[in-house]
């Protein structure tokens, strides 16, 4: 349950009852594509036993595109992964600036300046070399997130006497609905990490069961949180739901959110820079393996996230665009395409239809979401 769960009530505002259905449908589809992605890591041996012959998303992509180019698939996947991870880092900076400006409204500082201040606190990230430090920060991040959700849900439940299902829309604007699709998809994306996760499980045979339960609980929690928050504020629901809380709670929760955003930043940042550094230093590029060069890669990425956060300071629209571009590709398009390519001869007709349907659905959602999110951003800047 990441920080982007806070955008789900806003998605319900623009999607109405269909938004609730989408949250559940996205959970089911993301669970399915997670399973078929892991299936692509395995091949049957002569005895009919499944053997893990691939380790990463990149290996799967290279296996699918080896006739065209041995490295083409890996390049496409790596670029997409880096895009998603960097966009996630940008969102954390954008949200940090937003939270600081709302927490300290009496300080005469713009939201962009607050983002710069948040950026300064993240400068030590360039010195993170292993996941040990990142894991400790993520542990603290989980604790802070629990506090935030608990406070927001408790307040919403105290307002239960004001709830009304009449607040839900029966008719919706098509463009707003498509932006909401991107927001909802992005709140479920985890396919990037699944091959590594499955490979490190003590009993990989339990992976499918684990995926079923985690997506089920994620769906229940997301639906409950989005529903209670939207029923509490209705048409007044804001892009980041904590902005709706009364002032005495808002400052406390916003500071907790700020802490969570800053603690969350190192994981996607570390993952993105590791992918880029590994690609550059691979093979004959041994000259680029120096610690100084690694520091330069991390420093450049850190600066890139700040510059983009300065120019696109709109949380929900940026999240919708990210979900439409990279989220849909990594979650729906590529897993279904790779599964069809690698397993076509062994797949039953129903699974082939399911994969093709997921691919078409993902493509349409991605295309429409990109157009509408970009249009929304242009209107904001125009």
């Amino acid at each position: 349950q990441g920080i982007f769960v806070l955008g789900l009530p806003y998605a319900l505002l623009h999607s109405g009852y269909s938004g609730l259905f989408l949250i559940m449908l996205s959970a089911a589809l993301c669970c399915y594509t997670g399973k078929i992605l892991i299936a692509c890591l395995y091949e049957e041996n002569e005895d009919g036993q499944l053997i893990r012959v691939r380790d990463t998303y990149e290996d799967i992509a290279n296996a699918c595109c080896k006739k065209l180019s041995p490295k083409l698939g890996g390049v496409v996947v790596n670029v997409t992964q880096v895009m998603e991870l960097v966009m996630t880092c940008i969102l954390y900076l954008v949200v940090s600036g937003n939270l600081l400006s709302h927490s300290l409204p009496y300080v005469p500082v713009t939201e962009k300046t607050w983002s710069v201040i948040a950026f300064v606190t993240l400068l030590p990230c360039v010195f993170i070399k292993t996941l040990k430090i990142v894991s400790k920060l993520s542990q603290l991040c989980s604790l802070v997130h629990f506090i935030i959700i608990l406070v927001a849900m408790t307040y919403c439940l105290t307002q239960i006497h004001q709830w009304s299902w009449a607040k839900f829309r029966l008719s919706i604007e098509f463009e707003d609905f498509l932006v909401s699709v991107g927001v909802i998809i992005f709140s479920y994306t985890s396919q990037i990490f699944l091959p590594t996760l499955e490979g490190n499980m003590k009993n990989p045979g339990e992976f499918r069961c684990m995926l079923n339960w985690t997506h089920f609980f994620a769906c229940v929690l997301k639906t409950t949180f989005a529903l209670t928050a939207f029923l509490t504020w209705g048409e007044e629901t804001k892009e980041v739901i904590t902005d709706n809380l009364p002032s005495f709670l808002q400052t406390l929760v916003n500071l907790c959110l700020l802490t969570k955003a800053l603690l969350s930043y190192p994981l996607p940042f570390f993952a993105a820079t590791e992918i880029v550094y590994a690609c550059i230093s691979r093979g004959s590029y041994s000259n680029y393996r120096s610690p100084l060069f690694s520091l330069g890669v991390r420093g450049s990425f850190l600066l890139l996230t700040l510059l983009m956060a300065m120019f696109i300071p709109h949380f929900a629209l940026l999240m919708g665009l990210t979900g439409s571009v990279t989220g849909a590709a990594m979650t729906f398009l590529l897993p279904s395409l790779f599964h069809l390519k690698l397993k076509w001869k062994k797949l039953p007709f129903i699974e082939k239809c399911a994969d093709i349907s997921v691919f078409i659905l993902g493509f349409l959602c991605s295309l429409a979401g990109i157009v509408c999110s970009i249009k929304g951003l242009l209107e904001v800047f125009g």
Side-chain angles (χ1 to χ4, degrees), residues 3 47 53 67 79 89 111 132 166 194 198 207 253 256 274-275 281 285 293 298 301-302 304 308 326-327 345 373:
I3 196 170
D47 300 324
V53 296
K67 290 184 179 179
V79 168
C89 291
E111 195 170 306
K132 286 183 179 180
L194 292 184
E198 192 263 357
F207 179 82
V253 172
C256 287
E274 284 296 293
I275 292 171
S281 61
Y285 298 100
F293 179 75
R298 291 195 289 269
F301 263 73
L302 198 66
L304 174 67
M308 292 193 70
T326 60
K345 293 180 181 179
S373 295

Side-chain angles (χ1 to χ4, degrees), residues 323-364:
S324 300
V325 179
T326 60
M330 299 298 289
T331 307
F332 297 134
L333 299 178
L334 295 181
S336 55
L337 185 64
F338 293 162
H339 194 232
L340 286 168
K341 172 69 176 175
L342 294 173
K343 308 288 183 180
W344 177 264
K345 293 180 181 179
K346 298 178 181 178
L347 287 179
F349 178 74
I350 293 176
E351 279 199 55
K352 288 179 182 178
C353 291
D355 286 355
I356 292 170
S357 299
V358 169
F359 181 84
I360 293 171
L361 181 64
F363 178 77
L364 292 175

Side-chain angles (χ1 to χ4, degrees), residues 148-224:
I148 294 164
I149 296 297
L150 183 65
V151 170
M153 288 284 288
T154 302
Y155 177 79
C156 289
L157 291 173
T158 64
Q159 306 298 310
I160 197 168
H161 59 279
Q162 297 180 357
W163 289 7
S164 171
W165 286 95
K167 294 177 180 179
F168 269 94
R169 295 184 180 187
L170 291 174
S171 60
I172 55 174
E173 293 291 332
F174 185 63
E175 291 186 5
D176 290 339
F177 170 75
L178 290 173
V179 173
S180 297
V181 170
V183 174
I184 291 168
I185 290 172
F186 191 69
S187 74
Y188 277 108
T189 53
S190 63
Q191 269 67 6
I192 289 176
F193 308 106
L194 292 184
T196 304
L197 175 63
E198 192 263 357
N200 283 282
M201 289 180 70
K202 288 184 179 179
N203 184 2
E206 294 180 349
F207 179 82
R208 294 174 70 89
C209 180
M210 178 277 293
L211 214 59
N212 288 337
W213 281 108
T214 50
H215 279 76
F216 171 75
F217 283 119
C219 177
V220 170
L221 289 166
K222 284 177 182 6
T223 305
T224 304

